[in-house]
Coordinates of all heavy atoms in Angstrom, one line a residue:
M20 N 112.2 98.9 104.7 CA 111.7 100.2 105.4 C 112.9 100.9 106.1 O 113.9 100.2 106.7 CB 110.7 99.7 106.4 CG 110.1 100.9 107.1 SD 109.3 101.9 106.0 CE 107.6 101.8 106.4
S21 N 113.0 102.1 105.8 CA 114.2 103.0 106.4 C 113.7 104.0 107.1 O 112.9 104.8 106.4 CB 115.2 103.3 105.3 OG 116.1 104.2 105.8
P22 N 113.7 104.2 108.4 CA 113.3 105.5 109.0 C 113.9 106.7 108.6 O 114.9 106.7 108.1 CB 113.6 105.2 110.6 CG 114.0 103.8 110.7 CD 114.5 103.3 109.3
S23 N 113.0 107.7 108.5 CA 113.5 109.0 108.1 C 113.6 109.9 109.3 O 112.9 109.8 110.2 CB 112.6 109.6 107.1 OG 112.7 108.8 105.8
K24 N 114.4 111.1 109.0 CA 114.3 112.1 110.1 C 112.9 112.8 110.0 O 112.5 113.0 108.9 CB 115.4 113.2 109.9 CG 116.8 112.5 110.1 CD 117.9 113.6 109.9 CE 119.2 112.9 110.1 NZ 120.3 113.9 109.9
P25 N 112.4 113.2 111.1 CA 111.0 113.9 111.1 C 111.1 115.1 110.2 O 112.2 115.9 110.2 CB 110.8 114.5 112.5 CG 111.8 113.5 113.4 CD 112.9 113.1 112.4
G26 N 110.0 115.4 109.4 CA 109.9 116.7 108.6 C 109.2 117.7 109.1 O 108.6 117.5 110.3
P27 N 108.8 118.7 108.6 CA 108.0 119.9 108.9 C 106.7 119.4 109.1 O 106.1 118.6 108.4 CB 108.3 121.1 108.0 CG 108.7 120.3 106.7 CD 109.5 119.0 107.2
Y28 N 105.9 120.0 110.1 CA 104.4 120.0 110.0 C 103.7 120.4 108.7 O 104.2 121.3 108.1 CB 103.9 120.9 111.1 CG 102.3 121.0 111.2 CD1 101.5 120.0 111.6 CD2 101.8 122.1 110.6 CE1 100.2 120.2 111.4 CE2 100.3 122.2 110.4 CZ 99.6 121.3 110.9 OH 98.2 121.3 110.7
A29 N 102.8 119.7 108.3 CA 102.1 120.0 107.1 C 100.6 120.0 107.4 O 100.1 119.0 107.9 CB 102.3 119.0 106.0
P30 N 99.8 121.0 107.1 CA 98.4 121.0 107.3 C 97.7 119.9 106.5 O 98.2 119.6 105.4 CB 97.9 122.4 106.8 CG 99.2 123.3 106.8 CD 100.3 122.4 106.7
P31 N 96.6 119.3 106.9 CA 96.0 118.3 106.1 C 95.6 118.8 104.7 O 95.3 120.1 104.6 CB 94.6 118.1 107.0 CG 95.1 118.5 108.3 CD 96.0 119.5 108.2
G32 N 95.8 117.9 103.8 CA 95.4 118.3 102.4 C 96.5 119.0 101.7 O 96.4 119.3 100.5
T33 N 97.7 119.1 102.3 CA 98.8 119.8 101.6 C 100.0 118.7 101.6 O 99.9 117.7 102.5 CB 99.3 121.0 102.3 OG1 99.9 120.8 103.6 CG2 98.3 122.0 102.4
N34 N 100.9 118.8 100.9 CA 102.0 117.9 100.9 C 103.4 118.6 100.6 O 103.9 118.5 99.3 CB 101.9 116.6 99.9 CG 102.9 115.7 100.1 OD1 103.7 115.8 101.0 ND2 103.0 114.7 99.3
P35 N 103.9 119.3 101.5 CA 105.1 120.1 101.2 C 106.4 119.2 101.2 O 107.5 119.6 101.0 CB 105.3 121.1 102.3 CG 104.6 120.4 103.5 CD 103.5 119.6 102.8
H36 N 106.3 117.8 101.6 CA 107.3 117.0 101.7 C 107.6 116.3 100.3 O 106.9 115.6 99.8 CB 107.1 115.9 102.6 CG 106.5 116.4 103.9 ND1 107.2 117.2 104.9 CD2 105.2 116.3 104.5 CE1 106.4 117.4 105.8 NE2 105.2 117.0 105.7
T37 N 108.8 116.8 99.7 CA 109.1 116.2 98.5 C 110.4 115.4 98.7 O 110.7 114.4 97.9 CB 109.4 117.4 97.4 OG1 110.5 118.2 98.1 CG2 108.2 118.1 97.1
D38 N 111.2 115.6 99.7 CA 112.5 114.9 100.0 C 112.4 114.4 101.3 O 112.0 115.1 102.2 CB 113.7 115.7 99.7 CG 113.9 116.1 98.2 OD1 113.7 115.2 97.4 OD2 114.2 117.3 98.1
F39 N 112.8 113.2 101.6 CA 112.9 112.6 103.0 C 114.4 112.3 103.2 O 114.9 111.7 102.4 CB 112.0 111.5 103.1 CG 110.6 111.6 102.9 CD1 110.0 111.5 101.7 CD2 109.9 112.1 104.0 CE1 108.6 111.7 101.6 CE2 108.6 112.3 103.8 CZ 107.9 112.2 102.7
E40 N 114.9 112.8 104.4 CA 116.3 112.5 104.7 C 116.4 111.4 105.7 O 115.8 111.3 106.6 CB 116.8 113.8 105.4 CG 118.3 113.6 105.7 CD 119.0 114.8 106.3 OE1 118.3 116.0 106.3 OE2 120.1 114.6 106.9
P41 N 117.0 110.2 105.2 CA 117.1 109.1 106.0 C 117.8 109.2 107.2 O 118.9 110.0 107.2 CB 117.6 108.1 105.1 CG 118.5 108.9 104.0 CD 117.7 110.1 103.9
K42 N 117.5 108.6 108.3 CA 118.4 108.6 109.5 C 119.7 107.9 109.2 O 120.7 108.3 109.7 CB 117.6 107.8 110.6 CG 116.5 108.6 111.3 CD 116.1 107.7 112.5 CE 115.0 108.6 113.3 NZ 114.5 107.8 114.4
D43 N 119.6 106.7 108.4 CA 120.8 106.0 108.1 C 121.1 106.0 106.7 O 120.4 105.2 105.8 CB 120.8 104.6 108.7 CG 122.0 103.8 108.4 OD1 122.8 104.1 107.5 OD2 122.1 102.7 109.2
R44 N 121.9 106.9 106.1 CA 122.1 107.0 104.7 C 122.6 105.7 104.2 O 122.3 105.4 102.9 CB 123.0 108.2 104.3 CG 122.4 109.4 104.5 CD 123.3 110.5 103.9 NE 122.7 111.9 104.2 CZ 121.8 112.4 103.3 NH1 121.4 111.8 102.3 NH2 121.3 113.6 103.5
E45 N 123.6 105.0 104.8 CA 124.1 103.7 104.2 C 123.0 102.7 104.0 O 122.9 102.1 103.0 CB 125.1 103.3 105.1 CG 125.9 102.0 104.7 CD 126.9 101.4 105.6 OE1 127.4 102.4 106.4 OE2 127.2 100.3 105.5
L46 N 122.1 102.6 105.0 CA 121.0 101.6 104.9 C 120.1 102.1 103.8 O 119.7 101.2 102.9 CB 120.3 101.5 106.1 CG 118.8 100.8 106.0 CD1 119.1 99.3 105.8 CD2 118.1 100.8 107.4
A47 N 119.8 103.3 103.6 CA 118.9 103.8 102.6 C 119.5 103.5 101.2 O 118.8 103.1 100.3 CB 118.5 105.3 102.8
G48 N 120.7 103.5 101.1 CA 121.4 103.4 99.7 C 121.4 102.0 99.4 O 121.6 101.7 98.2
K49 N 121.1 101.0 100.3 CA 121.1 99.7 100.0 C 119.8 99.2 99.5 O 119.6 98.0 99.1 CB 121.7 98.8 101.2 CG 123.1 99.1 101.5 CD 123.5 98.2 102.7 CE 124.9 98.4 103.1 NZ 125.3 97.7 104.3
M50 N 118.7 100.0 99.8 CA 117.3 99.6 99.6 C 117.0 99.6 98.2 O 117.5 100.2 97.2 CB 116.4 100.5 100.4 CG 116.7 100.4 101.9 SD 115.6 101.4 102.8 CE 114.1 100.6 102.4
T51 N 116.0 98.7 97.8 CA 115.5 98.8 96.5 C 114.0 99.3 96.5 O 113.4 99.4 97.7 CB 115.3 97.3 96.0 OG1 114.4 96.6 96.8 CG2 116.7 96.7 95.9
D52 N 113.5 99.8 95.4 CA 112.2 100.3 95.3 C 111.0 99.3 95.5 O 111.3 98.2 95.1 CB 112.0 101.0 93.9 CG 112.7 102.3 93.9 OD1 113.1 102.9 94.9 OD2 113.1 102.7 92.7
V53 N 110.0 99.6 96.0 CA 108.9 98.8 96.2 C 107.7 99.6 95.6 O 107.5 100.7 95.8 CB 108.6 98.5 97.7 CG1 107.3 97.7 97.9 CG2 109.8 97.9 98.4
S54 N 106.7 98.8 94.7 CA 105.7 99.4 94.3 C 104.6 99.7 95.3 O 104.4 98.9 96.2 CB 105.0 98.7 93.3 OG 105.8 98.5 92.1
G55 N 104.0 100.9 95.4 CA 102.9 101.2 96.4 C 103.3 102.5 97.0 O 104.4 103.0 96.7
G56 N 102.5 103.0 97.9 CA 102.8 104.2 98.6 C 102.7 104.2 100.1 O 102.2 103.0 100.6
A57 N 103.3 105.0 100.8 CA 103.3 105.0 102.2 C 103.2 106.4 102.7 O 103.9 107.3 102.1 CB 104.5 104.2 102.8
H58 N 102.5 106.7 103.7 CA 102.5 107.9 104.5 C 102.0 107.9 105.8 O 101.7 106.7 106.4 CB 101.7 109.0 103.7 CG 100.2 108.7 103.7 ND1 99.7 107.7 102.9 CD2 99.2 109.2 104.5 CE1 98.3 107.7 103.1 NE2 98.1 108.5 104.0
V59 N 102.1 108.9 106.6 CA 101.8 108.8 108.1 C 100.6 109.7 108.3 O 100.5 110.8 107.7 CB 102.9 109.3 109.0 CG1 102.6 109.4 110.4 CG2 104.2 108.5 108.9
H60 N 99.7 109.2 109.2 CA 98.4 110.2 109.5 C 98.9 110.8 110.9 O 99.3 110.0 111.9 CB 97.2 109.3 109.7 CG 96.6 109.0 108.5 ND1 95.4 108.3 108.3 CD2 97.0 109.2 107.1 CE1 95.2 108.1 107.0 NE2 96.0 108.7 106.3
P61 N 99.0 112.0 111.1 CA 99.5 112.7 112.2 C 98.7 112.4 113.6 O 97.7 111.8 113.5 CB 99.2 114.3 111.9 CG 98.8 114.3 110.6 CD 98.3 112.9 110.1
K62 N 99.4 112.7 114.5 CA 99.0 112.4 115.9 C 97.8 113.2 116.3 O 96.9 112.9 117.0 CB 100.2 112.5 116.8 CG 100.0 111.8 118.2 CD 101.1 112.1 119.1 CE 101.9 110.9 119.4 NZ 103.0 110.9 120.3
G63 N 98.0 114.5 115.9 CA 96.9 115.5 116.4 C 97.3 116.2 117.6 O 98.4 115.9 118.2
D64 N 96.4 116.9 118.3 CA 96.6 117.4 119.5 C 95.3 117.6 120.3 O 94.3 116.9 119.9 CB 97.3 118.9 119.4 CG 96.5 119.8 118.6 OD1 95.2 119.8 118.5 OD2 97.2 120.8 118.1
K65 N 95.2 118.5 121.4 CA 93.8 118.5 122.1 C 92.8 119.0 121.2 O 91.5 118.7 121.5 CB 94.1 119.4 123.2 CG 95.1 118.9 124.3 CD 95.2 119.8 125.5 CE 96.3 119.3 126.4 NZ 96.5 120.2 127.5
T66 N 93.0 119.9 120.2 CA 91.9 120.4 119.4 C 91.7 119.7 118.0 O 90.7 119.9 117.4 CB 92.1 121.9 119.2 OG1 93.4 122.1 118.5 CG2 92.2 122.6 120.5
R67 N 92.9 119.0 117.5 CA 92.7 118.4 116.2 C 92.9 116.9 116.3 O 93.9 116.5 117.0 CB 93.7 119.0 115.3 CG 93.5 120.5 115.0 CD 94.5 120.9 114.0 NE 94.2 120.3 112.8 CZ 93.8 120.9 111.6 NH1 93.8 122.4 111.7 NH2 93.5 120.4 110.4
H68 N 92.0 116.2 115.8 CA 92.1 114.7 115.7 C 92.2 114.2 114.3 O 91.4 114.7 113.3 CB 90.9 114.2 116.5 CG 90.8 114.6 117.8 ND1 91.6 114.2 118.9 CD2 90.0 115.5 118.4 CE1 91.2 114.8 120.0 NE2 90.3 115.7 119.8
F69 N 92.9 113.3 114.0 CA 93.1 112.6 112.8 C 92.7 111.2 112.6 O 93.0 110.6 113.6 CB 94.5 112.8 112.2 CG 94.9 114.3 112.1 CD1 95.6 115.0 113.3 CD2 94.7 115.0 110.9 CE1 95.9 116.3 113.1 CE2 95.2 116.3 110.8 CZ 95.7 117.0 111.8
V70 N 92.0 110.8 111.5 CA 91.8 109.4 111.3 C 93.1 108.8 111.2 O 94.0 109.2 110.6 CB 90.9 109.4 110.0 CG1 90.7 107.8 109.7 CG2 89.6 110.0 110.1
Q71 N 93.1 107.6 111.9 CA 94.3 106.9 112.1 C 94.5 105.8 110.9 O 95.5 105.6 110.2 CB 94.7 106.2 113.2 CG 94.8 107.3 114.4 CD 95.9 108.2 114.2 OE1 97.1 107.7 114.4 NE2 95.7 109.5 114.0
P72 N 93.4 105.0 110.7 CA 93.4 104.0 109.5 C 93.3 104.7 108.2 O 93.1 106.0 108.1 CB 92.2 103.2 109.8 CG 91.6 103.5 111.0 CD 92.2 104.8 111.6
P73 N 93.4 104.0 107.2 CA 93.4 104.7 105.8 C 92.0 105.3 105.6 O 90.9 104.9 106.1 CB 93.4 103.4 104.8 CG 94.2 102.4 105.6 CD 93.7 102.6 107.0
S74 N 92.0 106.5 105.0 CA 90.7 107.3 104.8 C 90.1 106.9 103.5 O 90.8 106.2 102.7 CB 91.1 108.7 104.9 OG 91.8 109.1 103.8
G75 N 88.9 107.5 103.2 CA 88.2 107.2 101.9 C 89.2 107.9 100.8 O 89.4 107.2 99.7
K76 N 90.0 108.9 101.0 CA 90.8 109.7 100.1 C 91.9 108.7 99.8 O 92.6 108.6 98.8 CB 91.3 110.9 100.5 CG 90.2 112.0 100.3 CD 90.9 113.3 100.2 CE 89.7 114.4 100.0 NZ 89.7 115.0 98.7
D77 N 92.5 108.0 101.0 CA 93.6 107.0 100.7 C 93.3 106.1 99.9 O 94.0 105.7 99.0 CB 94.1 106.5 102.1 CG 94.7 107.4 103.1 OD1 95.3 108.3 102.6 OD2 94.5 107.2 104.3
Y78 N 92.1 105.3 99.9 CA 91.6 104.4 99.0 C 91.5 104.9 97.5 O 91.9 104.1 96.7 CB 90.4 103.6 99.5 CG 90.6 102.8 100.6 CD1 90.0 103.5 101.9 CD2 91.2 101.6 100.6 CE1 90.2 102.6 103.1 CE2 91.4 100.9 101.8 CZ 91.0 101.4 102.9 OH 91.1 100.7 104.2
E79 N 91.0 106.1 97.4 CA 90.9 106.8 96.1 C 92.1 106.9 95.4 O 92.4 106.8 94.2 CB 90.1 108.1 96.2 CG 88.7 107.9 96.5 CD 88.0 109.3 96.8 OE1 88.7 110.3 96.2 OE2 87.1 109.4 97.5
K80 N 93.1 107.4 96.2 CA 94.4 107.7 95.6 C 95.6 106.7 95.7 O 96.6 106.7 95.4 CB 95.1 108.9 96.4 CG 94.2 110.2 96.2 CD 94.8 111.4 96.8 CE 94.1 112.6 96.5 NZ 94.6 113.9 96.9
A81 N 95.1 105.4 96.1 CA 96.1 104.3 96.3 C 96.7 103.9 95.0 O 96.0 104.0 94.0 CB 95.3 103.1 97.0
S82 N 97.9 103.5 95.1 CA 98.6 103.0 93.8 C 97.8 101.9 93.2 O 97.3 101.0 94.0 CB 100.0 102.6 94.2 OG 100.7 103.5 94.7
G83 N 97.5 101.9 92.0 CA 96.7 100.9 91.3 C 97.4 99.5 91.1 O 98.5 99.2 91.5
G84 N 96.7 98.7 90.4 CA 97.2 97.4 90.2 C 97.2 96.5 91.3 O 98.0 95.4 91.2
G85 N 96.5 96.7 92.3 CA 96.6 95.8 93.5 C 97.8 95.9 94.3 O 98.0 95.1 95.2
R86 N 98.6 96.9 94.1 CA 99.8 97.2 94.9 C 99.3 97.4 96.4 O 98.4 98.0 96.7 CB 100.7 98.3 94.5 CG 101.1 98.1 93.0 CD 102.0 99.3 92.6 NE 102.6 99.1 91.3 CZ 102.0 99.5 90.2 NH1 100.9 100.2 90.1 NH2 102.6 99.3 89.0
I87 N 100.2 97.0 97.2 CA 100.0 97.3 98.8 C 100.5 98.6 99.2 O 101.7 99.1 98.7 CB 100.8 96.3 99.5 CG1 100.3 94.7 99.2 CG2 100.5 96.5 101.1 CD1 98.8 94.5 99.4
N88 N 99.8 99.4 99.7 CA 100.0 100.6 100.1 C 100.1 100.6 101.8 O 99.4 99.8 102.3 CB 99.0 101.8 99.8 CG 98.9 101.9 98.3 OD1 99.7 102.6 97.7 ND2 98.1 101.1 97.6
I89 N 100.8 101.5 102.4 CA 100.9 101.6 103.9 C 100.6 103.0 104.4 O 100.9 103.9 103.8 CB 102.4 101.2 104.3 CG1 102.7 99.8 103.7 CG2 102.6 101.4 105.8 CD1 104.2 99.5 103.9
V90 N 99.8 103.0 105.5 CA 99.6 104.2 106.3 C 100.0 103.8 107.7 O 99.6 102.8 108.2 CB 98.3 104.8 106.1 CG1 97.1 104.0 106.6 CG2 98.1 106.3 106.6
V91 N 100.6 104.8 108.3 CA 101.1 104.6 109.8 C 100.2 105.6 110.6 O 100.1 106.7 110.3 CB 102.5 104.9 110.0 CG1 102.9 104.8 111.5 CG2 103.4 103.9 109.2
G92 N 99.5 105.1 111.6 CA 98.8 105.9 112.4 C 99.7 106.4 113.6 O 100.1 105.5 114.5
A93 N 100.0 107.7 113.6 CA 101.0 108.1 114.6 C 100.4 108.2 116.0 O 101.2 107.8 117.0 CB 101.6 109.6 114.2
Q94 N 99.2 108.4 116.0 CA 98.5 108.3 117.5 C 98.5 107.0 118.1 O 98.7 106.7 119.2 CB 97.3 109.1 117.5 CG 96.8 109.5 118.9 CD 95.3 109.0 118.9 OE1 94.6 108.5 118.1 NE2 94.9 109.1 120.2
N95 N 98.0 106.1 117.3 CA 97.6 104.6 117.8 C 98.8 103.8 117.5 O 98.6 102.6 118.0 CB 96.3 104.2 117.3 CG 96.2 103.9 115.7 OD1 97.3 104.0 115.0 ND2 95.1 103.5 115.2
R96 N 99.8 104.3 116.9 CA 101.0 103.5 116.6 C 100.7 102.2 115.8 O 101.2 101.1 116.3 CB 101.8 103.3 117.8 CG 102.2 104.7 118.5 CD 103.1 104.4 119.6 NE 104.4 103.7 119.5 CZ 105.5 104.1 118.8 NH1 105.5 105.3 118.4 NH2 106.4 103.4 118.7
K97 N 99.9 102.2 114.9 CA 99.4 101.0 114.0 C 100.0 101.3 112.6 O 99.8 102.4 112.1 CB 98.0 100.6 114.2 CG 97.6 100.0 115.6 CD 96.2 99.6 115.6 CE 95.8 99.0 116.8 NZ 94.5 98.5 116.8
V98 N 100.3 100.2 111.9 CA 100.6 100.2 110.6 C 99.4 99.5 109.8 O 99.1 98.5 110.2 CB 101.9 99.6 110.2 CG1 102.3 99.6 108.8 CG2 103.0 100.3 111.1
Y99 N 98.9 100.2 108.8 CA 97.8 99.6 108.0 C 98.2 99.4 106.7 O 98.8 100.2 106.0 CB 96.6 100.5 107.9 CG 96.1 101.0 109.3 CD1 96.5 102.0 110.0 CD2 95.0 100.2 110.0 CE1 96.0 102.3 111.2 CE2 94.6 100.5 111.2 CZ 95.0 101.4 111.8 OH 94.6 101.8 113.1
F100 N 97.9 98.3 106.2 CA 98.2 97.8 104.7 C 96.8 97.8 103.9 O 95.8 97.2 104.3 CB 98.8 96.5 104.6 CG 100.0 96.4 105.5 CD1 99.9 96.0 106.8 CD2 101.3 96.5 104.9 CE1 101.1 95.9 107.6 CE2 102.4 96.4 105.7 CZ 102.3 96.2 107.0
Y101 N 96.8 98.5 102.8 CA 95.5 98.5 102.0 C 96.0 98.8 100.5 O 97.0 98.8 100.1 CB 94.7 99.8 102.4 CG 95.4 101.1 102.1 CD1 95.0 101.9 101.0 CD2 96.4 101.6 103.1 CE1 95.8 103.2 100.8 CE2 97.0 102.9 102.7 CZ 96.6 103.5 101.6 OH 97.2 104.8 101.4
S102 N 94.9 98.4 99.6 CA 95.1 98.6 98.2 C 93.8 99.4 97.5 O 92.9 99.5 98.2 CB 95.2 97.2 97.5 OG 93.9 96.6 97.6
D103 N 94.1 99.5 96.3 CA 93.1 100.2 95.5 C 91.8 99.4 95.3 O 90.8 99.8 95.0 CB 93.6 100.8 94.2 CG 94.0 99.7 93.3 OD1 94.5 98.7 93.8 OD2 93.8 99.9 92.0
T104 N 92.0 98.1 95.5 CA 90.8 97.3 95.4 C 90.1 96.9 96.6 O 89.2 96.1 96.6 CB 91.4 95.9 94.7 OG1 92.2 95.3 95.7 CG2 92.0 96.1 93.4
S105 N 90.5 97.6 97.8 CA 89.9 97.2 99.0 C 89.2 98.3 99.6 O 89.4 99.5 99.2 CB 90.9 96.8 100.1 OG 91.9 97.8 100.3
T106 N 88.2 98.3 100.5 CA 87.5 99.4 101.2 C 87.8 99.3 102.6 O 87.2 100.2 103.5 CB 86.1 99.2 100.9 OG1 85.5 98.0 101.3 CG2 85.8 99.5 99.4
K107 N 88.7 98.3 103.1 CA 89.1 98.4 104.4 C 90.6 97.9 104.5 O 90.9 97.3 103.4 CB 88.1 97.6 105.3 CG 88.0 96.1 105.0 CD 87.1 95.4 105.7 CE 87.0 94.0 105.4 NZ 86.1 93.2 106.3
P108 N 91.3 98.0 105.6 CA 92.6 97.5 105.6 C 92.7 96.1 105.2 O 91.9 95.2 105.7 CB 93.1 97.9 107.0 CG 92.2 99.0 107.4 CD 90.9 98.8 106.8
I109 N 93.6 95.7 104.5 CA 93.9 94.2 104.3 C 94.5 93.6 105.5 O 94.2 92.4 105.8 CB 94.9 94.0 103.1 CG1 94.4 94.7 101.8 CG2 95.3 92.6 102.8 CD1 95.3 95.0 100.6
A110 N 95.4 94.3 106.2 CA 96.0 93.8 107.4 C 96.3 95.0 108.2 O 96.5 96.2 107.7 CB 97.2 93.0 107.0
Q111 N 96.7 94.9 109.4 CA 97.2 95.8 110.4 C 98.2 95.2 111.3 O 98.1 94.1 111.7 CB 96.2 96.8 111.0 CG 95.4 96.0 112.0 CD 94.3 96.9 112.4 OE1 93.7 97.7 111.9 NE2 93.9 96.6 113.8
M112 N 99.1 96.0 111.9 CA 100.0 95.5 113.0 C 100.5 96.6 113.8 O 100.4 97.7 113.4 CB 101.1 94.7 112.3 CG 102.0 95.5 111.5 SD 103.3 94.6 110.6 CE 104.2 93.6 111.8
K113 N 101.0 96.4 115.0 CA 101.6 97.3 115.8 C 102.9 97.9 115.2 O 103.7 97.2 114.6 CB 102.0 96.8 117.3 CG 100.8 96.4 117.9 CD 101.3 95.7 119.2 CE 100.0 95.1 120.1 NZ 100.6 94.4 121.2
L114 N 103.0 99.3 115.3 CA 104.2 99.9 114.7 C 105.5 99.3 115.3 O 106.4 99.1 114.6 CB 104.2 101.4 115.0 CG 105.5 102.3 114.5 CD1 105.6 102.1 113.0 CD2 105.2 103.7 114.9
D115 N 105.5 99.0 116.5 CA 106.7 98.5 117.2 C 107.0 97.1 116.6 O 108.3 96.8 116.3 CB 106.6 98.2 118.7 CG 106.5 99.5 119.4 OD1 106.9 100.6 118.9 OD2 105.9 99.6 120.5
D116 N 106.1 96.2 116.2 CA 106.4 95.0 115.4 C 106.9 95.3 114.1 O 107.8 94.5 113.7 CB 105.1 94.1 115.6 CG 104.7 93.6 116.9 OD1 105.5 93.6 117.7 OD2 103.5 93.2 117.1
F117 N 106.2 96.2 113.5 CA 106.7 96.6 112.0 C 108.1 97.0 112.1 O 109.0 96.6 111.3 CB 105.8 97.6 111.6 CG 106.2 98.1 110.1 CD1 105.6 97.2 109.1 CD2 106.7 99.2 109.9 CE1 105.9 97.7 107.8 CE2 106.9 99.6 108.5 CZ 106.4 98.8 107.4
M118 N 108.5 97.8 113.0 CA 109.8 98.3 113.0 C 110.9 97.3 113.4 O 112.1 97.4 113.3 CB 109.9 99.5 114.0 CG 109.1 100.7 113.5 SD 109.6 101.3 111.9 CE 111.3 102.1 112.3
K119 N 110.5 96.1 114.0 CA 111.4 95.0 114.4 C 112.2 94.6 113.0 O 113.3 94.1 113.2 CB 110.8 93.9 115.0 CG 110.2 94.2 116.5 CD 109.7 93.0 117.1 CE 109.1 93.5 118.5 NZ 108.3 92.4 119.2
G120 N 111.5 94.7 111.9 CA 112.3 94.2 110.7 C 113.1 95.3 110.0 O 113.7 95.1 109.0
V121 N 113.2 96.5 110.7 CA 114.1 97.5 110.2 C 115.4 97.3 110.8 O 115.6 97.3 111.9 CB 113.5 98.9 110.7 CG1 114.5 100.0 110.1 CG2 112.1 99.1 110.0
P122 N 116.5 97.2 110.0 CA 117.9 97.2 110.6 C 118.2 98.3 111.3 O 117.8 99.3 111.0 CB 118.6 96.9 109.3 CG 117.8 96.5 108.1 CD 116.5 97.2 108.4
K123 N 119.0 98.2 112.3 CA 119.5 99.1 113.2 C 120.8 99.7 112.9 O 121.6 99.0 112.4 CB 119.4 98.8 114.7 CG 118.0 98.5 115.0 CD 117.9 98.2 116.5 CE 116.5 98.1 117.0 NZ 115.7 97.5 117.6

């Protein structure tokens, strides 16, 4: 896992993010590809609230073949692991614990 610099706001249902700029280019260059997908569910604000765990659409669009996918809940700071064969998260953990495995 390699942290990226924050990107622009995107309204739900759109995906203008095609490139992610890593915070640490040297670390990102040493990484290998992993099968599966990952994205963040936004924090929201006083008037907009977002589902933090994987949504129904996440399960529908999950990478197939039992690959593990990840969604991060920005508001509740939890990381959820799910697959196309599940209807609820396989596992979850605190974002801070997840990031402990990220080299600094």
Side-chain angles (χ1 to χ4, degrees):
M20 184 61 113
S21 172
S23 294
K24 292 181 180 178
Y28 165 77
T33 66
N34 187 8
H36 312 293
T37 55
D38 295 318
F39 295 95
E40 185 176 343
K42 280 186 178 181
D43 183 337
R44 287 189 180 277
E45 184 178 336
L46 171 64
K49 294 178 183 176
M50 298 182 63
T51 59
D52 290 333
V53 182
S54 294
H58 66 282
V59 176
H60 284 184
K62 199 182 246 188
D64 59 23
K65 292 178 184 177
T66 60
R67 296 188 67 119
H68 302 282
F69 296 91
V70 172
Q71 297 297 291
S74 67
K76 284 203 181 244
D77 289 331
Y78 291 107
E79 288 174 24
K80 294 182 176 188
S82 298
R86 292 180 180 95
I87 302 299
N88 297 273
I89 298 172
V90 67
V91 177
Q94 192 232 352
N95 66 4
R96 298 187 55 81
K97 287 188 179 178
V98 179
Y99 300 90
F100 303 88
Y101 65 100
S102 75
D103 63 325
T104 61
S105 61
T106 57
K107 61 182 182 177
I109 298 166
Q111 65 184 35
M112 66 190 304
K113 293 177 184 175
L114 177 60
D115 291 340
D116 291 340
F117 183 75
M118 294 304 290
K119 285 178 184 174
V121 176
K123 294 185 174 146

